[in-house]
Amino acid sequence: MTTDDAFAPIRSTHPTPVVFGAGAAIGVLGGMIGLGGAEFRLPLLIGLFGFAALSAVILNKAMSLVVVLVALPSRLAAVSAAEVGSHWPVAVNLLGGSLLGAWVGASWAVRMRSTTLYKVLAALMVLMAAALLVTHADTLGTPEMSRWARVLCGVATGFGIGIVAAIMGVAGGELLIPTIVLLFAVDIKTAGSLSLLVSLPTMLVAFARYSRDGSFAVLRANLRFTLVMAAGSTVGALGGGLLLGVFPDVVLIPALAAILLVSAVKLARHD
């Protein structure tokens, strides 16, 4: 394990309203763009609540799992199970890489020095900002390639996404959705539901790997904190969903990407 937990607070002492409010704010940001907001939650866990990198990643992963479990039924209500089921080969293709990637990513995270992990997280925040911009662009087109080349690309991309999701503690929708749209020509609404079906088992694999190194000590010590913030994130995401379309993408998306880039700079400078 990294030396992260030596510097992490054993238990958060922040008031419940503050924790819930922070989770709700993150949920609103994510909900406005159709995501869970975990990419915004991670720097908040480090910067505001004082968790060290690895501890923040594990808490973020736990909250992401709760949000995905809550979002899945409502998402399936919005997009019929038959429609999602008709694209099951896409989910299987991506899972072929993401499950292994999640195990590898979690293995790397628990072995990294904390200073290295902060820099890796900063780089991945930049990646998330780029993915956010690409996802909401109207210029995505499906590349021409053979069936087996597409399958191999799906496995390779899934592997990379699994690594990123495990290291950052996110569900990975920010990367999965544009991948599904671009690589498999699935409409973005259905892609959102498929991404949840890929995210859930991918997160469980990462959890299984983290649990082997005693990394869950921070989760046990902060279970109430985790549940309260996850509840806030879920409520916020629902509220943010109601605001979908209220703010034009031409303003909202660059602003959110800028938040991620500023967070990346702060993480890169974190000691």
Side-chain angles (χ1 to χ4, degrees), residues 63-241:
M63 294 177 209
S64 297
L65 180 59
V66 173
V67 173
V68 166
L69 287 172
V70 172
L72 190 55
S74 60
R75 191 80 196 198
L76 290 177
V79 180
S80 70
E83 174 64 20
V84 175
S86 67
H87 295 285
W88 67 265
V90 174
V92 171
N93 192 171
L94 291 169
L95 282 168
S98 69
L99 296 179
L100 178 59
W103 187 272
V104 171
S107 298
W108 286 349
V110 297
R111 287 179 169 82
M112 283 184 200
R113 296 177 58 186
S114 63
T115 52
T116 302
L117 185 54
Y118 282 120
K119 290 179 173 56
V120 169
L121 291 174
L124 294 180
M125 293 293 287
V126 175
L127 174 63
M128 288 296 179
L132 181 61
L133 294 171
V134 169
T135 303
H136 290 79
D138 295 324
T139 57
L140 294 178
T142 304
E144 292 292 333
M145 62 178 69
S146 69
R147 176 185 176 185
W148 287 110
R150 198 178 303 279
V151 169
L152 290 175
C153 283
V155 172
T157 305
F159 180 76
I161 292 173
I163 290 176
V164 173
I167 292 178
M168 293 191 71
V170 300
E174 304 85 343
L175 302 176
L176 282 168
I177 292 174
T179 296
I180 294 170
V181 171
L182 177 61
L183 191 58
F184 299 101
V186 176
D187 69 275
I188 195 165
K189 192 173 183 180
T190 304
S193 297
L194 282 171
S195 73
L196 293 179
L197 295 180
V198 176
S199 295
L200 184 56
T202 301
M203 286 191 289
L204 292 175
V205 167
F207 258 132
R209 177 61 186 87
Y210 279 127
S211 67
R212 294 183 59 186
D213 292 276
S215 306
F216 277 9
V218 65
L219 184 55
R220 288 192 295 270
N222 293 277
L223 184 58
R224 178 181 174 81
F225 173 94
T226 302
L227 294 176
V228 169
M229 181 170 270
S233 294
T234 302
V235 172
L238 294 175

